[in-house]
Amino acid sequence: QVQLVESGGGLVQAGGSLRLSCVASGRTVSGYAMGWFRQAPGKEREFVAAISGSGVLIYYTDSVKGRFTISRDNAKNTVYLQMDSLKPEDTAVYYCAAKLGSYIYTPAGFGSWGQGTQVTVSS
């Protein structure tokens, strides 16, 4: 089973940028699709972005298209989420997760959750 640790969160003003990292251990992540999720207080967890093991297939939820970029470096067992033009509504705890298989367009099947990293965007 893969273990995941997120980092890179923080406090940023609206319009600013952050880059989140998710480092995996225990297994080589090249065989896993990786996803980023977020959960704001009082809201359900939201599926934000995902990338296939090869990096060829990428998914974004509509609210982050054009602002967020997911990428991965399999040599470093790391997945990134570059977040630009941040908005207050992006405030949430961000989690990464992994799943076997290449179908990345649904949150179903993602597991091995990390502990999360807090992103706070001030207006």
Side-chain angles (χ1 to χ4, degrees):
Q1 188 173 357
V2 63
Q3 290 82 44
L4 304 172
V5 178
E6 304 94 337
S7 63
L11 173 63
V12 64
Q13 289 187 332
S17 298
L18 285 172
R19 189 176 81 154
L20 306 184
S21 299
C22 173
V23 179
S25 61
R27 294 286 180 92
T28 301
V29 294
S30 59
Y32 289 81
M34 300 296 295
W36 284 98
F37 295 73
R38 65 187 179 186
Q39 189 165 20
K43 295 188 177 181
E44 293 187 354
R45 186 165 57 199
E46 180 184 16
F47 182 37
V48 175
I51 187 168
S52 61
S54 64
V56 172
L57 302 177
I58 288 178
Y59 163 84
Y60 298 105
T61 194
D62 286 345
S63 62
V64 308
K65 285 180 181 176
R67 301 189 299 120
F68 290 13
T69 304
I70 189 171
S71 62
R72 63 190 300 158
D73 184 340
N74 287 339
K76 295 183 178 179
N77 263 10
T78 302
V79 177
Y80 304 98
L81 186 67
Q82 177 68 40
M83 306 187 296
D84 299 318
S85 302
L86 282 161
K87 304 176 180 180
E89 51 264 43
D90 295 317
T91 295
V93 179
Y94 283 71
Y95 301 88
C96 67
K99 72 172 177 180
L100 291 171
S102 60
Y103 191 75
I104 63 167
Y105 303 105
T106 173
F110 279 98
S112 300
W113 301 93
Q115 84 290 348
T117 186
Q118 175 71 48
V119 171
T120 303
V121 184
S122 63
S123 58

